[in-house]
Amino acid sequence: MELAMIGLGRMGANMAERLLKGGHRVISYDTNPGAVALMRDKGAVPATSIKKAAEALSHPRVFWIMVPAGQPVDDVLEAIYAVADSGDVLVDGGNSHYRDTLRRAADASTRKLRYMDVGTSGGIWGLAEGYSMMVGGDKDAVELLRPALETLAPSGDKGWGHVGPVGAGHFVKMIHNGIEYGMMQAYAEGFSILQHKKDFELDLHQVSEIWRCGSVVRSWLLDLMSEALGENPGLAGVAPYVADSGEGRWTLTEALDLNVPAPAITAALLERIRSREADSFADRLLSVTRNKFGGHPVKRDG
C-alpha cells in the first residue's frame, strides 16, 4: 500500500523506513528539509508540502501523522483538511490525549474523512524489532491500513490489534505508559536498595543479567536497565532528574474520574516530579519542624 508519513522525527522516520523495507510506497514530509532528504535517500518519495504529499497519493489517501501531541497535531490536520477528499484516512500515531482524539475524529467526520488513532510503543528499537500498536477506529479503515500495520508490527498477527472505536487506541496507550511508570519505579527502587548494601559489594549488572533469564521479573525494561548498568555501573555523569511525557498524568486523571485506585502509578509519577526539585523547600521545612518538636539536629548548607 501507499501512505504519506507526516512528521519525520526519530519515530516517524523509523516507521517510514520499516514500511519502505516492507515494500510499501511512502511519501514523506516534514518541516525539516534535511529529514525529507534523508528519507528520499532511503527510497521514500519526497514532498515539499502536505499539499504535494496529497498530490502524490492515489485515492483513498492515507495521511499518517507523527508529530508531538497537542497543537502540532491540530496544525497538521488543518493543512490536511485543505487538500483532503471524502473517504481519505487520517492516522494519528503519536501520543495524543484520547479526548483530543475524540474531538478531532468528530471534526474529521463532518468533513467525511475517516480518523484513526494508533497508540505506538517500541521506541528507537521499533525499526528492527517492530512496533506494538493499539489501533482505534472503524473496521473498514483498519482493514485498509492492515498491510501497513502488519509490516510495522513484530509479525503480521502479533503485537498489534484493533482495540475499539476511535479514541480507544490512544486510551490503551495512555494506560500502557502509566504502567510503564510503575514498573520502572519498582526496578529503580529495588536496584537502589541493592546499591546501598555496601557490605555485599553487589555487581548490579550481574544481578540484572541473572534476573533477565527465567526470573518472574524479567522484561524488556529490565533488558534496557541491564544494558545501561553494563555501560556505566555507577551511572557517573547522569543527573538525578526524570522527565515525564504527560501520559502518566493523564492516566492518573482518568483513574480519579473512574474512581479506580492507582497507588503505584501515582507514587511513580510523584517521584519523577520530586526528582526535579534540587532545592526542596518542603524538606527544609520538615527538618526545622523536627528540630522544634524534638530537638533533632538540623543539617546546615555548606
Side-chain angles (χ1 to χ4, degrees):
M1 68 172 296
E2 64 175 19
L3 57 82
M5 185 66 70
I6 310 298
L8 299 173
R10 193 164 189 179
M11 179 81 88
N14 282 353
M15 295 178 79
E17 185 172 349
R18 188 172 174 91
L19 288 168
L20 288 166
K21 289 180 176 180
H24 301 278
R25 181 171 182 261
V26 177
I27 292 82
S28 63
Y29 171 72
D30 193 276
T31 54
N32 176 9
V36 177
L38 184 61
M39 289 312 305
R40 178 197 61 211
D41 293 342
K42 294 180 183 294
V45 177
T48 56
S49 67
I50 289 176
K51 183 177 185 294
K52 292 294 184 182
E55 291 172 353
L57 291 168
S58 56
H59 293 77
R61 298 176 294 189
V62 176
F63 300 88
W64 192 305
I65 304 165
M66 292 297 296
V67 299
Q71 190 60 45
V73 178
D74 290 311
D75 291 343
V76 168
L77 287 174
E78 285 302 318
I80 292 175
Y81 291 156
V83 297
D85 293 328
S86 175
D88 286 350
V89 178
L90 315 181
V91 183
D92 182 357
N95 281 333
S96 291
H97 194 294
Y98 82 97
R99 294 186 188 276
D100 288 336
T101 299
L102 293 173
R103 168 179 59 79
R104 291 165 182 151
D107 187 17
S109 179
T110 65
R111 305 167 189 266
K112 301 188 184 307
L113 303 173
R114 292 175 284 180
Y115 203 91
M116 295 177 61
D117 52 311
V118 179
T120 307
S121 181
I124 61 174
W125 299 90
L127 174 58
E129 304 292 335
Y131 296 92
S132 171
M133 294 171 292
M134 297 134 266
V135 183
D138 69 70
K139 184 177 179 180
D140 289 345
V142 174
E143 288 305 311
L144 178 66
L145 204 63
R146 177 180 288 275
L149 295 170
E150 291 180 343
T151 297
L152 290 168
S155 65
D157 61 348
K158 295 184 184 298
W160 77 277
H162 182 198
V163 298
V166 67
H170 281 152
F171 183 81
V172 174
K173 177 56 164 53
M174 178 182 71
I175 304 306
H176 162 284
N177 281 26
I179 293 170
E180 178 185 298
Y181 278 45
M183 290 176 65
M184 290 177 66
Q185 186 65 30
Y187 280 130
E189 291 175 7
F191 277 104
S192 181
I193 296 169
L194 294 173
Q195 191 267 340
H196 279 79
K197 191 64 174 176
K198 301 297 185 184
D199 44 337
F200 285 157
E201 298 182 349
L202 297 169
D203 181 336
L204 301 191
H205 181 239
Q206 179 196 36
V207 172
S208 65
E209 284 294 296
I210 293 170
W211 288 354
R212 286 183 59 224
C213 302
S215 165
V216 296
V217 298
R218 64 187 183 274
S219 74
W220 186 49
L221 288 174
L222 180 60
D223 294 345
L224 297 176
M225 284 190 173
S226 180
E227 182 179 312
L229 289 168
E231 294 169 349
N232 186 359
L235 304 182
V238 179
Y241 181 104
V242 187
D244 73 278
S245 62
E247 293 205 329
R249 298 172 187 240
W250 301 345
T251 299
L252 293 188
T253 299
E254 200 65 29
L256 291 170
D257 288 346
L258 295 171
N259 291 317
V260 176
I265 297 173
T266 301
L269 175 62
L270 294 179
E271 185 59 28
R272 290 193 181 197
I273 295 171
R274 178 179 171 80
S275 77
R276 303 164 205 167
E277 190 170 4
D279 186 14
S280 171
F281 180 82
D283 288 346
R284 290 170 183 264
L285 186 56
L286 286 173
S287 180
V288 297
T289 303
R290 289 183 75 249
N291 174 262
K292 290 295 184 183
F293 71 70
H296 304 289
V298 175
K299 185 177 180 180
R300 302 294 178 181
D301 285 337

